[in-house]
Every structure is written in C-alpha cells, then in structure tokens.
Amino acid sequence: MKRSLGARALWAVVVLVGGSSPSEAGPWAVGKGRLYANFAFETLSTTRLATPDGNIQTIPELGLRQFGFYGVFGLSDRLTLIVDRVGYRRTEIEAFDAAAGVEDTRFGLQWQLGRKGAWELAARGIFQAPTGDETKGLGVLPTGSGVWEGEARVGGGRSWREGRLYGYAEIGHQFRGGALRDAFSYETQLGYWLHPRLLVGATLRGVQPYRSEPADDAIGSPSGLGDGVTYAVYAPMAIVKLGGGTGIQVEIEDAFNETNLATGVKFRIKFFLER
C-alpha cells in the first residue's frame, strides 16, 4: 500500500513538470494512455549579444517572442511518444529588421530502462526537422537552423519525503547537421511541493560544443540557432494546479557561459493539461 501511494505521488510530480524545458521532461513515464500537454509563451528583450568567442557586446534592442506546444503520450508503461516542440517565433532588432515564422519541430521517444534502487532510469531520442527558415532577416534572424538535428539522452530521477521533493539529472549528445558542431548537453532539476496545488523548483541546463574554435563562417547571431552556441541556463519556477487536470507554470531564466546568442532574462509561462 505504501509503495502504491508513493508511486501515485511521484507520478503526479512527473506530470506537472513534464514540460519544464525546451527540452526535456525528466526520466519518468506518464503511463500507458496518459497525456500531458502544455502551451507556452516566452519573451526576451535585451541589448546584449554573446559573440562566437564569448565576449559580450552591446547591440540595438532585440525582442524575441515565442509560442510553443509540447506534448507526451504514453504508448505503453515503458514507451512514451514526445512532441518536444512545435513553435512559432518572432524576432526583431531595433532599426534593422523583424522576422517571424514556424520554428524547427522536435519529436521523439523515451524508453524506461528500469529502476536502480530508488532511482528511475530512462533513455530518450529526439529528432529535429528543419521546418523553420534559416534565411529570415538576412540570415541574422532565422526561425530554424536549416539542417536536421537530434539528441540522445540518458537520465535518472527519484523522489523523497513521500513524493513532496523530487530531483533528476540527465546528460546527452546533441547531433547537429551540416557544418554545425555537435555538443554535450545536460539538465538537472529539483522541485518541492509546498502545498498540494503549489510547487517551487529550479532547473539548470545547458549545451557545450565539443570543439572550442568557431567555424570559418560563424557570425555573432542573436538567434541561438547557429554554430557553436553555448550556454548554461538557471531557471527558478513555480507551478500552480488549477483543478480538472489543468495548471500554470511560470519560469524566469538567465544564463552564463554563453556564446553566439543574445543573452538576458527570459520570462516563460505555460498552461498545461493532463489526462
């Protein structure tokens, strides 16, 4: 009986944090026939650009607005279908140009590897289709990378205090097509239920290319989609359950160790549904 209650509590935590990042939902399965989906809006306004060599320079004000859909569906108790991102972005640089369009689309599968003590283990494979347009804004404000990409990850997570506290960690390899450099990726998250309807937590995630030297044609692009993009993002978050399987998740993120992208504080809100 205790094990069953603990499993249900952990599943509730997992469902609520399923869409906490671009990327990346933790090592738990939602369960056969279960669904989690969220609709996200995020915004960034900044005048800071991290160049390919890691220096920070001032640029005219850049505004980024993104809308995205994320969903997971349990094909079985061990296999989960993932629509990692279907999105639309609009980027503008003051006195230069503005561009908008559909982003690259990410989808994949997660396979539960089993348990190791109190830890749940899983592997995930993500493919990224070049549905965006890399030529937008004279190539400075693209909505996609223009190449097929992918990511493979393994991770483990567990809960404590009868499911009120949870944590997970993942590492992976980011495959990038064309002349774009592959990268090491990672993510870790901790969360705590202050109340049955309120969770607070924080995420640390990032990517690090394996080769440090920029490509010959690398330019300082604010899009975050070009070659040699590096970052480590930390993001406190709060989740509020509204009832009926719905809720709101709010995140504020900042970054360090950045190269080849606009950098600043990003705000994100997600409306989620679970069934």
Side-chain angles (χ1 to χ4, degrees):
M1 184 65 175
K2 289 183 179 179
R3 182 178 180 181
S4 176
L5 288 172
R8 287 202 298 271
L10 179 55
W11 183 85
V13 170
V14 172
V15 166
L16 285 172
V17 301
S20 61
S21 78
S23 62
E24 304 80 16
W28 297 281
V30 295
K32 183 178 180 179
R34 296 279 190 172
L35 169 71
Y36 169 90
N38 73 51
F39 299 88
F41 169 73
E42 52 194 87
T43 178
L44 167 70
S45 294
T46 185
T47 58
R48 301 174 73 240
L49 174 69
T51 63
D53 59 9
N55 293 321
I56 301 296
Q57 69 179 41
T58 301
I59 60 172
E61 185 173 5
L62 176 141
L64 171 65
R65 309 291 184 269
Q66 291 176 276
F67 298 87
F69 168 82
Y70 170 94
V72 294
F73 179 75
L75 299 175
S76 71
D77 289 335
R78 299 190 67 181
L79 186 63
T80 302
L81 175 66
I82 304 169
V83 178
D84 189 85
R85 178 87 176 187
V86 178
Y88 180 91
R89 72 159 54 194
R90 185 182 191 280
T91 311
E92 59 183 343
I93 297 179
E94 183 181 8
F96 170 68
D97 201 357
V102 175
E103 297 180 301
D104 290 345
T105 300
R106 293 167 59 87
F107 56 93
L109 294 169
Q110 178 166 297
W111 178 255
Q112 302 308 120
L113 300 175
R115 298 183 67 87
K116 182 70 172 179
W119 291 84
E120 182 79 19
L121 308 177
R124 184 185 312 121
I126 297 291
F127 296 93
Q128 181 172 304
T131 53
D133 186 344
E134 74 277 16
T135 66
K136 292 274 189 176
L138 303 178
V140 178
L141 303 175
T143 61
S145 67
V147 296
W148 284 87
E149 301 190 47
E151 187 172 17
R153 283 195 178 192
V154 293
R158 61 164 296 176
S159 67
W160 299 266
R161 299 188 179 184
E162 298 181 345
R164 294 187 65 185
L165 173 67
Y166 75 90
Y168 71 79
E170 299 178 339
I171 58 172
H173 177 89
Q174 186 183 67
F175 302 89
R176 310 202 71 191
L180 304 181
R181 285 173 285 175
D182 290 359
F184 172 75
S185 64
Y186 57 90
E187 179 171 324
T188 184
Q189 186 178 97
L190 285 172
Y192 187 77
W193 288 98
L194 294 175
H195 181 274
R197 289 184 179 271
L198 175 62
L199 179 142
V200 295
T203 305
L204 175 67
R205 59 183 175 84
V207 296
Q208 178 69 50
Y210 294 114
R211 292 185 289 115
S212 60
E213 71 277 8
D216 292 338
D217 58 353
I219 61 172
S221 170
S223 68
L225 304 175
D227 180 60
V229 172
T230 305
Y231 58 81
V233 169
Y234 54 94
M237 68 175 185
I239 295 175
V240 179
K241 295 176 65 175
L242 301 178
T246 63
I248 298 174
Q249 180 171 331
V250 178
E251 302 173 13
I252 303 174
E253 71 174 39
D254 202 352
F256 57 95
N257 189 38
E258 313 108 309
T259 62
N260 209 16
L261 80 166
T263 177
V265 177
K266 180 180 286 189
F267 298 90
R268 183 182 299 112
I269 184 169
K270 301 176 182 180
F271 299 90
F272 65 81
L273 169 69
E274 51 158 317
R275 287 288 185 268

